[in-house]
Amino acid sequence: MASNIQSFLGTGWGFPPTFDKVSNGVRMSSDMKDIEESIWLILGTIPGERIMQPEFGCDLRKMGFERIDSNLVSSLNHVIYHALLNFEPRVNFTGADVLGRDDADGILTIQINYTIISTNTRHNIVYPFYLVEGTNLSAAAI
């Protein structure tokens, strides 16, 4: 690792992993940035995609062709809640809302609300879920 960054919210490899020529190591992220990158990684990973951790991820892909209604919002909340509960222990998921859908670009925009447990602060991220294969990958939008 590149440096000994200490943070009470956590420190880890930056996502996507990049190497820093100056410190001759991996770019690290800490605090809020580390939590946000972790959530993006969880949401962008399909369960079964990682060989050594087949349960890791969030199964948003199964909702790709659903109608936007209260059932979809309820299903999104359920799937995201369980993914963050299992794989991101630093946050409490408080809810997800569908902000909109762009059929031309195949994007479903989801706002994910959460509270950081150790600081009791509320935050949210806007996650563009790509409905059409071959468009930008959600992890590339960071």
Side-chain angles (χ1 to χ4, degrees):
M1 292 187 177
S3 64
N4 293 334
I5 300 171
Q6 297 296 320
S7 167
F8 73 97
L9 288 178
T11 300
W13 282 26
F15 183 77
T18 54
F19 295 94
D20 185 11
K21 292 180 183 178
V22 176
S23 64
N24 210 19
V26 178
R27 180 187 64 84
M28 304 296 284
S29 65
S30 58
D31 295 325
M32 271 302 304
K33 185 75 172 162
D34 186 45
I35 291 173
E36 286 179 10
E37 289 178 354
S38 175
I39 292 172
W40 278 85
L41 185 64
I42 292 165
L43 296 176
T45 303
I46 302 167
E49 188 173 345
R50 290 187 170 196
I51 295 171
M52 300 302 284
Q53 283 186 304
E55 296 87 22
F56 182 82
C58 184
D59 202 10
L60 290 175
R61 300 281 179 215
K62 71 180 181 182
M63 295 178 222
F65 298 102
E66 299 293 326
R67 284 190 6 221
I68 298 176
D69 58 9
S70 60
N71 289 335
L72 175 65
V73 174
S74 176
S75 295
L76 283 171
N77 277 292
H78 177 76
V79 169
I80 295 170
Y81 168 77
H82 284 287
L84 294 182
L85 176 69
N86 292 327
F87 304 113
E88 185 46 76
R90 297 173 289 182
V91 302
N92 280 332
F93 173 73
T94 56
D97 297 310
V98 175
L99 299 180
R101 181 179 185 148
D102 183 355
D103 288 327
D105 291 331
I107 301 172
L108 181 67
T109 306
I110 305 168
Q111 178 177 325
I112 298 164
N113 305 302
Y114 59 94
T115 303
I116 297 177
I117 295 171
S118 61
T119 61
N120 199 30
T121 56
R122 292 180 286 172
H123 297 273
N124 67 48
I125 60 172
V126 176
Y127 183 79
F129 175 57
Y130 293 92
L131 302 169
V132 178
E133 289 187 38
T135 59
N136 290 336
L137 296 175
S138 52
I142 294 179

